[in-house]
Structure formats: structure tokens, C-alpha cells
């Protein structure tokens, strides 16, 4: 004790233990490293102050005061911060051998207990709690101090603020002292950086970031990590060392989920700093949520900040919902693609990184670059190498997450139907003739609305235009893949050209399209429109097809027969060697 008195006590407030009253244990804060008691400090007859007295669990006097002094030095180095417990002084209980710390009282409920009662879906409050913890840790790290034992049981709920309360194992990186070897228990094993399992005397700030990542997950789930684990502690430690982590919680904001996954990365060099954590928490976007079970048919929303149709190159959206913009025109210079709203092209998909790709358009050459995305970029089925420039060529198919695009170096407006934002008939005639020689497995669906003029007559021309545009989005997003071509042939007629598809597949697709249109509820200006049906003619490659126009004519004739057979039907054109005008298979 003499060492303590001579070294540090003279600089501290030494409270008279007799001034404390109303003692009681605070068992949910105490742990294997210390015991905590609540007390009321009487200032005068009308004023009293709530405090806690902290006793370290150490019987050896030298060891006790070594730890005691280190904790005091660390606490005194922290600027007064609302998210870090305030050190007030020391006191000596006559019934005990050693001094105790006097700290400001921050309530009797820790974060772990609080989360059991907190609303599960209150994300604004979860983010606020995360910011409180990160703010406190930032002040601690700014003083070059590592906590080394951060977990939800030593973060207290002080009214509406969270307070980091335990510095038992904290160590200053400016001192020559090594961290105390942390005892791994069932209570703290999930929060401890797995490197501490084998290198107990090593520490850096990334160790606290790992613990913070686990706590961020705990905020999202409302339960302690691995609380459903059935492994013993040694088995769990081994699993964590090998990369085992809790699974993300369904409907967690993707930005938040990505943040805690980065924080608990096995490679501590890849973990963010505490300032980067704070920046990410300020920039959380809530409109994109993580889905544990994502439907394979998921259609991501795509937004483009500027879409000037006079540009000479564009991306055609093959799969994705782009708010009536089927063609994303690429200006000279650079544009960025990612899920964050700060990008030029925004794709709301959890498989897309915050900043996923960059497109450079200079001197007529358009390059795409993967910016280190986790899910990658695929060009014509081949994964693009990280940070490698790829020069896009006509009709290249670009896949990012659940979205698919086709690159068109001359996205001329006269090839695009202005109402439906899909190809027009002129595109078919100008671009498919030269490709026909390689068209062994082409099939064509000719779609014609039944009695469409009644929509215009019974409602308005605007209602009819709305139906055509809505139908185009429905077909484009659900039935058109990769190299397939969807075009408006004229008025209420549409063509679907299936590349590398046999007649049986074309027939199956037609079978899906016809009833989906029949049952689709078209609304315009909040008015439900009458039921709308579609007649479809299907044609495929055979000996009578010499060019694209033959394939088109067969589908048109089949569609005409479907109309004659009563409408809302599918007819396949067949051409056998013994006959030239057989129409068969009518589907009601």
C-alpha cells in the first residue's frame, strides 16, 4: 500500500468511507475481475451523489495495486465523455485490506440485460446505441488505450445513454506494460478476439473493434452471441478461430450488417478503425435490408442519376427494375455503380457493394472495372479480375448481383421505343439480319393484346399507354434473360426472341406469360382497369425458315390463328416435311 500512497494517492480525491451509505451489491455488473457495490455519497444535508465502489479480485497486494494504478491511470487519461464512465477518486473501507475505486453510478442495468426487453425492430434506437458505444470507444482509442475486455455486460444503460464502464484489463499503448492475460470464460469467449486465445499478451486497437463487431451483431439480434451454442468452451474457441460467427439477422440494414462483418473479420488488418466505424454508422441507409432467404426471382431496383439519351453508349437493363428507364446511357468520363445512393447507378441489392464498379468512357472506348466487390462482376459468364480494365464489346452481358445488363455501344434513341423503353421493330430489322446465320436455336413469340382498343375507348389513351408500359416491365423483368430480345413491334404487338432456346421451352414461357397477363391487375390513376388478355403465336427454326422474316411471319400467322380460335390462347406454328400450313396446339 505504501507504493500506492507514494506513487499516486496524493493526486487523487480520497473520500472518507464514512461519508458513504446505503451500500448494496450490483451483481449484474460484477464479474470474475471485480466486485461492484452501489453507494450513496452524502455531500451535505441536502445533497447526495450516487456512485459505485469497485474492488478488484486480487489477493496479492503488489498485484492488486499494479492493476489498481494502471486502471486509474487509464481512466484519468480519458477526457470527460458522456459514453465513458467517470472516475471520481478512491476510498478505503476499514474492513478491507485494499483501496477501492470510486466511479460515477450509471444505472443498474447493463446492455445485455437491456436488449432482452428492448423492441426488436426499433432500428433508429439500435443505431443510436451503436453510435454511443462507438463514440465512447473513439475517445478511449484517441488516448491510445485498448480496453481488451469490451462486451455487453460492461456497457451500462444510463438513462438514454450507453456508457463503457470497465477498464479492468485496459492497457495504454504508450506504456511499456503488457496487457494482462485475459481469462476466457463462457461469458466472454464470444467477444474476445480469437488471436487472444493463443497470443494472450498481444493487443492492438483492432482487438476492441472485433469485440465491437460482436456487440453490433448483438444489438441487431437482441440476444447474446452463441447463446444457442451447444459446443463446450474449447470446441467453441476452436470454431471461432476457424471463422465461425453468428449468422446475420433477417431484415438487418445491409450497411449495418456489412459493418459488423468487417469488424469481426479474421484478418485484423481488414477491420475498420473506430473512426471508420463512426463514419459508417452515420451513413447507414435503411432502404436496403438483408434477407436470409432471397428469392431467386428477386428483381433489384435500379436508379440512375442522369440519363441523357444522346450519349453514344448505354447499358440495357435485362434484369432489374429501373423506373421506366430500360436504357442507361453512359456519358463521357467516369461513372460509379454500387448500392449506396452516392453512386451514379444505384442498385438496391445486398449482393452489391457500397461502391461496386466503375465505368470509364473515353475516346469511344468503354471500360468496366471491379472495385474489389465481394460478389464480383461477370462478363458473358466469366468473372472479371479485380481492378482489371475490361473493354466492353457490343452485346456483352454484364451480371452484378441479381442485376443483368447488355452493353450497346450505339444506343441510338431511334432503336428504342419511347413509351415502353424496349427495342422497336426497326432494331429487329437492322440488327438481326446479320446474325441470322448463327441462329440454329432461335424461337419467337409474337404477342398481341385482345381487343386492346377497348382500353383506350373505355378509359383513355393514357390508360392504354400505361398498360403497354406496365406490360413491358412485367415481361422484361420476369421472362427476358441474358441475350434474349424483347421489342415492341407496333401499337399493342410485341416480340420476344429467345436465343439458344428450343420450341418446347418457348412454349413453356408462353404458357407462363399468357395467364400472368390475364390475372395481372392493371391500375391507372388509382382506377382498376378491366381484365386484359393476350394471344400468342410461337415459331421455331425449321427447314422453311430461311431468314428472320420467315421466323417472324410464322409467329404472326400462329398468333392470327390464336385470335380466330377465340383469343387468349397460344398457337404453335409447325412445319413438317409433308405439309406447309399446319397450325396446332391451342391452349385455353
Amino acid at each position: 500500500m505504501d507504493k500506492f500512497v507514494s506513487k499516486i494517492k496524493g493526486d487523487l480525491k480520497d473520500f472518507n468511507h464514512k461519508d458513504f451509505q446505503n451500500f448494496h451489491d450490483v451483481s449484474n455488473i460484477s464479474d470474475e475481475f471485480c466486485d461492484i457495490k452501489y453507494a450513496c455519497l452524502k455531500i451535505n444535508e441536502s445533497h447526495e451523489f450516487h456512485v459505485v465502489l469497485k474492488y478488484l479480485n486480487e489477493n496479492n497486494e503488489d498485484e492488486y495495486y499494479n492493476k489498481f494504478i494502471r486502471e486509474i491511470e487509464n481512466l484519468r487519461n480519458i477526457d470527460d465523455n458522456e459514453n465513458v464512465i467517470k472516475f471520481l477518486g478512491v476510498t478505503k473501507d476499514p474492513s478491507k485490506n485494499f483501496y477501492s475505486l470510486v466511479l460515477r453510478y450509471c444505472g443498474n442495468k447493463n446492455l445485455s440485460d437491456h436488449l432482452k426487453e428492448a423492441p426488436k425492430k426499433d432500428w433508429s434506437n439500435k443505431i443510436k446505441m451503436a453510435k454511443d458505444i462507438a463514440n465512447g470507444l473513439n475517445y478511449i482509442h484517441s488516448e491510445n488505450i485498448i480496453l481488451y475486455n469490451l462486451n455487453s455486460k460492461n456497457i451500462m444503460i444510463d438513462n438514454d445513454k450507453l456508457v463503457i464502464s470497465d477498464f479492468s484489463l485496459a492497457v495504454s499503448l504508450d506504456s511499456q506494460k503488457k496487457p494482462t492475460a485475459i481469462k476466457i470464460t463462457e461469458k466472454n469467449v464470444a467477444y474476445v478476439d480469437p488471436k487472444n486465445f493463443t497470443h494472450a499478451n498481444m493487443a492492438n486497437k483492432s482487438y476492441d473493434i472485433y469485440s465491437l463487431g460482436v456487440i453490433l451483431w448483438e444489438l441487431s439480434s437482441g440476444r447474446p452471441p452463441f447463446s444457442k451454442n451447444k459446443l463446450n468452451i474449447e470446441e467453441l474457441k476452436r470454431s471461432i478461430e476457424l471463422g465461425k460467427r453468428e449468422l446475420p439477422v433477417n431484415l438487418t440494414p445491409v450497411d449495418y450488417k456489412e459493418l459488423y462483418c468487417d469488424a469481426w473479420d479474421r484478418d485484423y488488418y481488414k477491420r475498420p478503425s473506430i473512426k471508420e466505424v463512426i463514419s459508417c454508422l452515420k451513413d447507414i441507409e435503411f432502404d436496403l435490408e438483408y434477407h436470409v432467404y432471397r428469392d431467386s426471382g428477386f428483381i433489384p431496383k435500379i436508379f440512375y442519376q442522369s440519363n441523357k439519351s444522346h450519349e453514344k453508349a448505354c447499358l440495357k437493363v435485362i434484369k432489374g427494375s429501373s423506373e421506366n428507364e430500360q436504357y442507361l446511357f453512359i456519358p463521357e468520363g467516369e461513372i460509379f455503380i454500387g448500392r449506396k445512393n452516392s453512386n451514379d447507378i444505384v442498385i438496391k441489392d445486398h449482393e452489391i457493394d457500397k461502391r461496386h464498379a466503375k465505368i470509364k468512357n473515353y475516346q469511344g472506348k468503354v471500360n468496366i472495372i471491379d472495385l474489389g466487390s465481394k460478389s464480383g462482376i461477370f462478363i458473358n459468364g466469366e468473372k472479371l479480375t479485380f481492378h482489371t480494365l475490361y473493354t466492353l464489346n457490343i452485346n456483352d452481358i454484364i451480371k452484378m448481383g441479381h442485376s443483368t445488363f447488355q452493353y450497346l455501344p450505339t444506343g441510338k434513341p431511334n432503336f428504342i421505343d419511347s413509351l415502353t423503353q424496349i427495342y422497336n421493330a426497326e432494331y429487329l430489322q437492322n440488327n438481326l439480319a446479320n446474325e441470322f446465320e448463327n441462329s440454329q436455336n432461335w424461337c419467337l413469340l409474337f404477342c398481341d393484346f385482345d381487343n386492346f382498343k377497348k382500353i383506350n375507348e373505355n378509359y383513355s389513351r393514357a390508360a392504354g399507354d400505361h398498360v403497354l408500359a406496365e406490360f413491358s416491365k412485367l415481361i422484361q423483368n420476369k421472362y427476358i434473360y441474358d441475350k434474349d430480345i424483347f421489342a415492341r413491334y407496333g401499337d399493342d404487338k410485341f416480340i420476344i426472341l429467345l436465343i439458344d432456346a428450343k420450341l418446347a421451352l418457348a412454349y413453356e414461357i408462353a404458357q407462363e406469360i399468357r395467364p400472368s397477363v390475364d390475372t395481372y391487375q392493371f391500375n391507372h390513376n388509382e382506377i382498376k382497369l378491366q381484365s386484359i388478355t393476350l394471344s400468342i403465336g410461337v415459331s421455331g427454326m425449321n427447314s422453311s425458315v430461311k431468314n428472320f422474316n420467315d421466323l417472324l411471319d410464322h409467329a404472326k400467322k400462329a398468333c392470327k390463328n390464336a385470335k380466330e380460335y377465340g383469343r387468349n390462347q397460344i398457337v404453335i406454328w409447325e412445319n413438317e416435311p409433308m405439309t406447309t400450313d399446319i397450325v396446332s396446339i391451342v391452349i385455353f
Side-chain angles (χ1 to χ4, degrees):
M1 187 174 71
D2 291 339
K3 294 179 182 178
F4 166 65
V5 172
S6 61
K7 184 170 184 178
I8 198 168
K9 181 175 175 292
D11 298 331
L12 303 178
K13 172 67 176 176
D14 186 5
F15 292 95
N16 188 332
H17 198 268
K18 294 180 180 179
D19 293 332
F20 296 102
Q21 57 188 16
N22 299 332
F23 295 96
H24 64 258
D25 291 330
V26 188
S27 58
N28 64 326
I29 305 176
S30 303
D31 58 21
E32 61 269 25
F33 304 110
C34 62
D35 288 322
I36 304 289
K37 287 186 179 294
Y38 163 85
C40 183
L41 175 62
K42 196 172 183 64
I43 306 298
N44 52 47
E45 290 300 323
S46 58
H47 293 87
E48 56 186 25
F49 194 69
H50 301 283
V51 300
V52 291
L53 307 183
K54 181 175 181 177
Y55 304 88
L56 304 184
N57 287 337
E58 177 61 61
N59 295 320
N60 180 279
E61 181 177 0
D62 286 341
E63 283 297 316
Y64 187 97
Y65 284 114
N66 281 338
K67 295 177 182 178
F68 195 79
I69 291 170
R70 183 170 67 183
E71 184 162 356
I72 290 174
E73 289 175 340
N74 287 330
L75 283 166
R76 285 171 36 159
N77 284 333
I78 305 297
D79 290 335
D80 190 12
N81 180 267
E82 63 182 1
N83 301 121
V84 179
I85 196 165
K86 185 174 180 59
F87 171 68
L88 302 175
V90 298
T91 190
K92 176 70 168 60
D93 182 348
S95 67
K96 294 184 178 293
N97 295 327
F98 309 132
Y99 274 81
S100 62
L101 299 170
V102 182
L103 304 167
R104 186 172 71 85
Y105 177 69
C106 297
N108 62 355
K109 182 180 291 187
N110 61 42
L111 176 60
S112 179
D113 292 336
H114 172 73
L115 290 176
K116 297 173 184 176
E117 305 169 0
K120 303 299 182 186
K121 297 182 180 180
D122 187 359
W123 271 104
S124 61
N125 189 47
K126 291 177 189 289
I127 297 299
K128 180 188 178 302
M129 289 191 288
K131 288 179 178 178
D132 278 359
I133 302 168
N135 180 57
L137 188 58
N138 181 46
Y139 270 78
I140 295 166
H141 279 191
S142 68
E143 295 298 336
N144 231 11
I145 294 171
I146 305 168
L147 286 172
Y148 209 50
N149 186 35
L150 180 64
N151 62 67
S152 62
K153 289 188 177 296
N154 54 41
I155 298 172
M156 303 306 298
I157 308 298
D158 184 15
N159 294 319
D160 63 341
K161 294 183 178 62
L162 269 64
V163 179
I164 297 173
S165 63
D166 186 23
F167 283 71
S168 298
L169 299 179
V171 62
S172 172
L173 294 177
D174 295 331
S175 72
Q176 301 300 314
K177 298 176 182 178
K178 291 185 177 181
T180 302
I182 186 169
K183 181 180 179 182
I184 308 299
T185 68
E186 291 182 356
K187 292 181 180 180
N188 68 12
V189 62
Y191 302 92
V192 177
D193 188 322
K195 292 190 180 300
N196 275 325
F197 299 162
T198 52
H199 299 86
N201 294 322
M202 295 177 59
N204 59 49
K205 292 177 182 178
S206 72
Y207 285 28
D208 286 345
I209 298 298
Y210 179 95
S211 304
L212 177 61
V214 177
I215 294 170
L216 294 181
W217 175 88
E218 188 172 353
L219 286 173
S220 73
S221 68
R223 65 176 178 84
F226 299 118
S227 57
K228 298 179 180 180
N229 168 67
K230 295 182 180 180
L231 301 175
N232 63 46
I233 189 168
E234 291 302 320
E235 291 172 332
L236 182 56
K237 284 169 60 177
R238 182 58 180 159
S239 295
I240 293 173
E241 282 184 294
L242 294 174
K244 182 181 178 66
R245 304 289 186 269
E246 281 281 14
L247 296 175
V249 178
N250 196 39
L251 303 182
T252 298
V254 171
D255 290 342
Y256 186 87
K257 172 251 179 188
E258 193 171 272
L259 173 60
Y260 68 67
C261 286
D262 289 343
W264 68 27
D265 196 290
R266 290 177 69 184
D267 185 347
Y268 63 78
Y269 289 109
K270 294 181 179 179
R271 297 172 192 166
S273 68
I274 187 58
K275 292 189 181 299
E276 288 171 328
V277 170
I278 290 172
S279 177
C280 289
L281 287 171
K282 290 178 180 178
D283 199 28
I284 298 290
E285 293 177 359
F286 296 94
D287 58 350
L288 181 61
E289 298 173 325
Y290 172 78
H291 290 260
V292 175
Y293 302 105
R294 172 65 81 188
D295 182 1
S296 60
F298 169 68
I299 305 296
K301 291 183 178 179
I302 300 172
F303 304 92
Y304 194 20
Q305 305 299 333
S306 176
N307 203 17
K308 299 177 180 179
S309 61
H310 63 267
E311 305 295 351
K312 295 182 178 180
C314 73
L315 297 178
K316 175 192 173 186
V317 180
I318 301 296
K319 185 178 180 183
S321 176
S322 56
E323 291 194 328
N324 298 322
E325 296 290 352
Q326 205 63 50
Y327 294 83
L328 311 180
F329 292 92
I330 303 170
E332 285 281 334
E334 296 182 344
I335 63 171
F336 291 91
I337 302 173
R339 73 166 188 265
K340 299 291 284 184
N341 293 330
S342 57
N343 291 282
D344 301 286
I345 297 176
V346 180
I347 304 175
K348 290 299 180 180
D349 181 356
H350 72 250
E351 290 192 5
I352 298 295
D353 278 37
K354 293 179 181 178
R355 184 151 284 189
H356 198 96
K358 177 169 67 175
I359 291 181
K360 299 175 69 174
N361 182 4
Y362 290 116
Q363 299 179 346
K365 182 183 290 187
V366 179
N367 297 315
I368 188 169
I369 309 162
D370 188 328
L371 298 177
S373 64
K374 294 181 177 67
S375 61
I377 300 172
F378 293 82
I379 309 292
N380 302 321
E382 296 291 329
K383 189 172 184 179
L384 195 63
T385 304
F386 169 55
H387 265 301
T388 299
L389 279 173
Y390 176 88
T391 301
L392 292 169
N393 300 302
I394 184 171
N395 292 328
D396 274 345
I397 300 299
I398 306 159
K399 191 174 187 306
M400 290 180 277
H402 292 89
S403 301
T404 305
F405 305 89
Q406 182 182 17
Y407 173 68
L408 301 174
T410 54
K412 299 178 181 179
N414 62 316
F415 282 170
I416 300 167
D417 181 68
S418 59
L419 173 63
T420 61
Q421 286 291 294
I422 62 175
Y423 289 126
N424 56 24
E426 188 176 353
Y427 173 84
L428 300 175
Q429 298 298 331
N430 282 272
N431 290 273
L432 297 181
N434 295 332
E435 299 181 24
F436 189 78
E437 60 185 33
N438 298 318
S439 58
Q440 294 179 353
N441 287 320
W442 282 11
C443 286
L444 193 144
L445 279 63
F446 191 90
C447 307
D448 190 0
F449 281 95
D450 300 321
N451 298 317
F452 187 78
K453 65 179 181 179
K454 289 184 178 180
I455 298 295
N456 293 331
E457 294 172 354
N458 296 342
Y459 302 98
S460 66
R461 181 61 182 268
D465 288 348
H466 174 76
V467 169
L468 297 176
E470 192 75 7
F471 167 78
S472 299
K473 287 194 291 184
L474 172 67
I475 300 302
Q476 181 72 56
N477 288 329
K478 196 169 183 180
Y479 301 105
I480 306 301
Y481 296 96
D482 296 341
K483 296 182 179 180
D484 298 342
I485 293 171
F486 180 39
R488 186 182 181 190
Y489 188 71
D491 296 331
D492 56 347
K493 299 173 177 61
F494 293 82
I495 288 173
I496 301 172
L497 181 63
L498 304 176
I499 309 298
D500 294 329
K502 294 184 179 181
L503 195 60
L505 176 60
Y507 170 60
E508 289 179 9
I509 293 173
Q511 278 188 304
E512 292 183 17
I513 291 174
R514 186 194 61 79
S516 70
V517 173
D518 189 10
T519 58
Y520 189 86
Q521 180 58 64
F522 291 93
N523 299 311
H524 181 249
N525 291 338
E526 300 183 355
I527 298 174
K528 292 183 178 181
L529 305 183
Q530 66 189 54
S531 178
I532 299 171
T533 62
L534 198 67
S535 294
I536 304 175
V538 183
S539 65
M541 300 300 294
N542 56 50
S543 60
S544 68
V545 178
K546 304 301 181 185
N547 52 50
F548 174 73
N549 285 332
D550 289 341
L551 187 68
L552 175 59
D553 287 342
H554 291 173
K556 288 169 66 177
K557 290 177 181 178
C559 184
K560 181 181 178 182
N561 282 291
K563 297 272 190 185
E564 293 173 352
Y565 292 154
R567 298 186 177 88
N568 194 22
Q569 299 174 23
I570 302 168
V571 170
I572 296 179
W573 175 276
E574 290 185 352
N575 184 28
E576 298 295 338
M578 299 300 296
T579 183
T580 59
D581 57 352
I582 299 176
V583 180
S584 67
I585 310 183
V586 181
I587 306 299
F588 295 86

